Amino acid sequence: MGVLNVTPDSFSDGGSFHAPEAAVQHARRMAAEGADLIDIGAESTRPGAEPVVLSEELARLLPVIEGIGRLDLGVPLSVDTAKPEAADRALAAGAHMINDISGAGEAMLEVAARHGAPVIAMHMQGEPRTMQREPRYDDVVAEIRNYLAERVAAGRRHGVDVLVDPGIGFGKTLEHNLDLLANLDELQQIGAPVVLGVSRKSFLDRLLGGVPVEERLSGTLAVNAWAAALEIADILRVHDVEPHRQLAESIGALRLRRDRWTTRRRVLARGVVCRSRIGVTSEERAEPQELLVDIDVTLTAGARGTRDDLAETVDYAELAAIAHEVRLVETLAERIAASIGRETSKAAGGSTLRRRIESLRVRVTKPRAARELGAAEVGAEVDWRP
Ligand code: HH2
């Protein structure tokens, strides 16, 4: 989500895109750089900022929304406002979504429901003018999680999709921000998409020991890379779209590679019939009896995925021959498992495949004994790990 501030006083880029034409051109540029959403705000929310009256907010927002609409960029627009009337007018002018730093109260949800628009509900303690004076929480993560879960439930009552945002820097100390960032997965458990806005924020200045706003790109990228790599945020709200496109593509490529490494294949053989002299008493062992063997092998595929190489699978053909004369089905199951381990490592000309076996389960059942006992199944199972 690319940030478009049509304000004279935003902390990060105040004044740069205040003129409607400059704002529209900046939106065009962010879309070309790969933004999937553009968030247009006309009221600065920086700590200490003064509120803007509705008429002024609309005078800033509407020409920009209409101007971007004429470009037909194919990128949805969200309107960053805490005023339901402003959201209403912005949606009517062509915006698709609401971003409410004040948490999307009832009136905002009613506007969203009327337009069928989703809403980002952000957490803020206090109001921008005073929020950084003395923020206090008993348990910042739990309190914000409960608050946002409640907003999602309120949205549901109105039939509105609510996305959640912990509101980094909004009535939070450095410690609070770090606790939230380190525990974003807790917010994911709410079951709504998580939006994260850390771009150029002043907690980076405190974290990194004095970094002016125009030098916070590296810190911003680092925190967003953390969230992207751990897959704990769904939308990153950023001023610098191009560097974040690079971040997202690099992490995406690595994730794809890792997923291929961790693809698991299960090779199954069920109900392979073996005959073996087995049993506790010598009468039992007098005649070979029929046994059923089930085998599940979990293999980790290599970096190149499945290579269709016979050396990479498990040969069950010789299984029947493994049915040694043993007294216990447990022993037989263990021997079959060990034999598959040996067999596969031999077939792979060493230990390649053995390393690929993540787990191996062998179960041997005795249908005759089950029948005699009137039981559904009698047998033994072993779990074998390399
Ligand atoms: N942060 C800002 C504004 N709106 N919305 C959401 N959902 N999440 C955020 O973290 C968030 C937000 C503040 O950043 P910016 O827009 O750059 O500054 P300003 O409010 O001064 O315009």
Side-chain angles (χ1 to χ4, degrees), residues 3 5 10-12 44-46 80 99 101 120 122 165 170 197 201 237 239:
V3 178
N5 284 321
S10 285
F11 80 96
S12 56
S44 174
T45 53
R46 80 188 142 74
D80 187 349
N99 175 20
I101 60 156
I120 299 171
M122 195 196 80
D165 185 329
F170 284 84
K201 284 192 177 164
R237 184 181 181 277
H239 297 90

Side-chain angles (χ1 to χ4, degrees), residues 345-364:
S345 65
K346 211 169 53 197
S351 58
T352 341
L353 181 58
R354 181 93 77 99
R355 262 196 280 125
R356 299 247 173 99
I357 293 186
E358 203 172 78
S359 65
L360 168 59
R361 170 171 294 181
V362 178
R363 117 205 284 261
V364 181

